[in-house]
Amino acid sequence: MGTMLSIKPVLHVDDAGKLINVSKARGRKASIAALAARMEETAIDPANQTIFISHGDCLEEAEYLAELVKTKMGVKDILISPVGPVIGAHSGPGTMALFFIGTKR
């Protein structure tokens, strides 16, 4: 049902290393915007961090997220790379992760 409605989960890894569902977004662009918004809420001095974006065969969307982060938070240093084969085998194509130093995990 979620696939038919294009509902995308926005997940977070907690201090114990468990995936927590923090929100849901309707549509791909909305889910990418939700990642940027989450960073905007919790990042510590984002303009002076090196930000990492990992993607599962969706480079154009990762670049779109990078532009959002640069525009909203003035980040200058962003590295984009594909997810590794182990994570990719579990998460599949279209996976995107945004890594930054935040106020809480």
Side-chain angles (χ1 to χ4, degrees):
M1 189 59 93
T3 302
M4 286 176 32
L5 296 173
S6 192
I7 295 174
K8 309 292 183 191
V10 178
L11 304 173
H12 169 79
V13 179
D14 70 6
D15 290 335
K18 295 182 180 181
L19 281 173
I20 306 295
N21 186 359
V22 292
S23 67
K24 292 178 184 161
R26 185 128 189 233
R28 184 67 171 175
K29 288 227 182 210
S31 68
I32 293 170
L35 285 174
R38 177 93 173 150
M39 180 180 170
E40 193 170 26
E41 292 169 7
T42 62
I44 299 170
D45 192 20
N48 292 313
Q49 290 189 41
T50 298
I51 305 303
F52 298 92
I53 298 173
S54 292
H55 67 91
D57 199 26
C58 55
L59 179 59
E60 288 180 9
E61 291 168 328
E63 290 170 343
Y64 172 72
L65 175 59
E67 284 305 313
L68 274 178
V69 168
K70 285 178 185 178
T71 303
K72 284 184 162 193
M73 291 162 266
V75 174
K76 296 172 197 79
D77 195 15
I78 299 177
L79 299 172
I80 299 174
S81 65
V83 296
V86 174
I87 298 297
H90 290 285
S91 60
T95 299
M96 194 168 321
L98 176 61
F99 300 95
F100 59 91
I101 298 171
T103 56
K104 59 183 175 179
R105 189 163 178 176

